[in-house]
Amino acid sequence: MAIYWQFVFFVLASFVLRVKSNPAPESYVVYMGSILKETNPEALQAAHLQMLSSIIPSEEKERVSLIQSYHHALKGFTAMLTEKEAALLSGHDGVVSVFRDRILQLHTTRSWDFLEKESGLRSERLRRRASSDIIIGIVDTGIWPESPSFSDAGMGKIPSRWKGICMEGSDFKKSNCNRKLIGARFYNNAPDSVRSPSNSSNIHGITSFGSPRDSVGHGTHTSSTAAGSTVMNASYYGLAQGVAKGGSPSSRLAMYKACSLGGCASSAVLKAIDDAIYDGVDIISISIGMSSVFQSDFLSDPIAIGAFHANKWGILVACSGGNDGPDPFTVVNSAPWILTVAASSIDRSFQSNIVLGNGIVLKGSAINFSNLSRSESFPLVFGADVAAESTPVSEASNCYPGSLDTEKAAGKIILCVDSDPTVTRRVKKLVAEGARAKGLILIDEAEKGVPFDSGSYPFSEVGNDAGAQILKYINSTKKPAAVILPAEDVEGFKPAPVVAYFSARGPGGLTEAILKPDLMAPGVGIVAASMPTVDNEDIPAGKKPSNFGIKSGTSMACPHVAGAAAFVKSAHPRWSPSMIRSALMTTATTTNNLGEPLTDYSGAHASSLDMGAGEISPLRALSPGLVFETTTEDYLYFLCHYGYKDQVIRSLSGTNFSCPGKPSPDLISNLNYPSISIASLNSKQAGRTVSRTVTNVGPANSTYFATVDTPSGFMVKVSPEKLVFTRRLMKASYEVTFHVTDATKGYGFGSVTWSDGAHSVQTVFVAHVV
């Protein structure tokens, strides 16, 4: 027997050694910087194949092939490499970075009317005059072209500059594109881990990875939010009925399908951006990103790389900031050349009332289409009181899978808590449904503001106060009872907007010297186009699949900003991406519909680390007065101060740029950005001074005066305090000096506002006292 086990050990050890010495190849992205001049793609691909041949053993020559080739605005490729081969390539002349083809995640968990109402301005006349030549590229899960939101009725000819194509698939024809949806590409060389599971099908039962068609619903929703055509009498099974439209209904759309339900391959996302630049889009909207836990360096992040090149070509890139809030340092897509978006609520809530047996009515939050009514009543129990045998009370009270006794729970309404976020609301609902409970009430102070869609199953979510009231009723009543009523939408909800609890927070994990997120837009309970589903769980009894859906996430906030940027671009076609970003940021609002400072989901005052400059106000952004222009050279200086070497920056930019003599991370705060962030400040310093330059885009002869909202414990001085302009596009510079007087460790928040009586140009700032 001993000899047998020695033999087994020898075989296993040999196998392990063989695996270690011959590790399986993985997909790697090899990024090689800017293309200096128009290059023959075939010649470039041949050169890349030659590079692979030089490092891949001849006996594995089948790996000498390109998964993706980047040859429009940037150059590089994706190939199957071992870790050793990737390291060899990273030292090759002309290679900027080599990184694993990681999986990026989708950022999902009446909005335009609300934004326009809050601005106090009339919009329809302005929107009718908006140019239809603006093209928004969406990098996402595909699109459902039959949606009425993508109708091209009344639209003129496609801009002649457009170079894009409409790729065909088994369920997608060229005729699915029109004068609204003018382009559609898909990328089907993604790793198996990101392909849609077989049960994720659309109304035709097709998973649709091999075509631009959406089989998830995410891309259709984001596309229509950004630039959907006006659709009358839109609703989600009768909820939120009204007019559906995108932020820039006159704009064109191009879909770049790089994602599925499982996520998005980095290589496909980078290829999508490269193609979008070549095709001729004006705005790119990306509602995906890295995990905040595993954030990549700027030049190992496909979105940051692609966005840099897009910006260089005059294309604004808006990205979702992520859904890992409310913890600090969770914001992603934080490169300074990206417009990073946080999520907020709007003035509409989806309310599902709970009627207790004693007649008390409690307001809950949910989207449910149950057929229950006030005339009915069912026994009400706490989850812990109907626990399955040998189940811990904590698990039953949280509606863990398998924690409820079916005989005890059947026919009753269950009350559960959400003290363990690892069990999602959908799972808790399925647990209650599986136990044959009549309905589920969930206590969750944080998530109650983000409505959960339970389909036809009776569900409602309440905060801690209402939850305590229900528990008290259960414990003090011999036969407690309740009924959960179907959802109804309530407009005019106050306060709004509120920072969503899930919205990722700053500071940025890579540098605190750039304030992120940049601004905030609606991302909670957003109604927009969606693919019709065959999932009976989500379709109310007796209803046909809806053409619209309600979703939440910074994924939904991002296309609001992309649409707003397109709206501004249509009015100012010569403005650069940084000018549009500046206009949106400096005109953002920091008060809610009660006229009070914006708050987060808990009612606490929201800071710039939560919401950036504030909530977008697209109509105000049309006339900002002054703008902060940030050039490509400014971004190269940022990379110097961040720590990149000259050669890397030259390859990235395709220039002969050289860093200054003494680059320093402290100098990043001098980037000509529409906000200010001081990463480190203390009372022992003489003070920190940052400079800014503004460009006059308002009246030729105008004088602006500065006012400062100074946080307690600081002294902030602006010099000069007056800026005089004698012509349009004239520039003027000023300095802002920060001193710590008696501030304690932590963050101080304030703003500098320039006003000429007609325009208010607000620059928010954050100073970190260490």
Side-chain angles (χ1 to χ4, degrees), residues 533-679:
T533 180
V534 292
D535 191 345
N536 291 327
E537 180 188 341
D538 295 328
I539 304 174
K543 299 282 188 178
K544 295 180 180 179
S546 175
N547 287 320
F548 294 87
I550 300 176
K551 296 181 183 293
S552 299
T554 53
S555 274
M556 285 62 253
C558 175
H560 275 89
V561 172
F567 183 44
V568 174
K569 176 84 172 176
S570 71
H572 303 285
R574 295 184 179 180
W575 280 13
S576 68
S578 66
M579 294 171 77
I580 297 171
R581 173 183 63 195
S582 175
L584 290 168
M585 288 178 64
T586 62
T587 60
T589 181
T590 54
T591 56
N592 59 29
N593 55 3
L594 292 172
E596 298 172 350
L598 292 173
T599 61
D600 67 11
Y601 68 99
S602 70
H605 280 194
S607 78
S608 299
L609 295 176
D610 303 324
M611 61 179 181
E615 179 88 347
I616 60 167
S617 181
L619 298 177
R620 288 190 181 128
L622 293 177
S623 181
L626 306 174
V627 294
F628 296 83
E629 291 189 76
T630 317
T631 66
T632 298
E633 188 172 89
D634 290 330
Y635 295 132
L636 300 185
Y637 279 113
F638 161 81
L639 293 170
C640 286
H641 298 312
Y642 185 75
Y644 289 108
K645 302 300 182 185
D646 286 27
Q647 187 55 51
V648 169
I649 297 173
R650 287 171 188 160
S651 296
L652 169 76
S653 62
T655 67
N656 291 320
F657 179 86
S658 294
C659 288
K662 294 183 178 180
S664 165
D666 287 341
L667 295 176
I668 291 175
S669 297
N670 270 330
L671 181 71
N672 201 44
Y673 211 73
S675 59
I676 297 172
S677 182
I678 306 297

Side-chain angles (χ1 to χ4, degrees), residues 142-152 166 171-173 175-178 181 184 212-214 220 531:
I143 197 163
W144 193 264
E146 294 83 3
S147 168
S149 293
F150 308 125
S151 167
D152 65 354
C166 192
D171 58 354
F172 199 99
K173 305 302 179 186
S175 59
N176 286 127
C177 290
N178 56 21
L181 176 62
R213 185 172 292 277
D214 194 355
T220 301
M531 64 170 211

Side-chain angles (χ1 to χ4, degrees), residues 12 46 79 206 214 285 322 341 369 385 428 457 465 508 562 647 660 730 743:
L12 288 173
I206 300 170
D214 194 355
S285 180
V341 187
F369 301 96
D385 296 329
K428 293 178 192 291
Y457 189 71
D465 291 343
Q647 187 55 51
M730 180 178 171

Side-chain angles (χ1 to χ4, degrees), residues 277-333:
I277 296 169
Y278 172 80
D279 289 346
V281 304
D282 299 291
I283 311 287
I284 298 177
S285 180
I286 304 177
S287 290
I288 58 181
M290 296 275 185
S291 163
S292 63
V293 179
F294 303 106
Q295 290 196 51
S296 292
D297 186 69
F298 293 117
L299 298 189
S300 298
D301 178 345
I303 296 177
I305 292 170
F308 177 88
H309 290 281
N311 185 86
K312 189 179 170 189
W313 282 65
I315 301 166
L316 183 144
V317 180
C319 293
S320 48
N323 297 342
D324 290 344
D327 293 334
F329 294 99
T330 51
V331 67
V332 297
N333 294 325

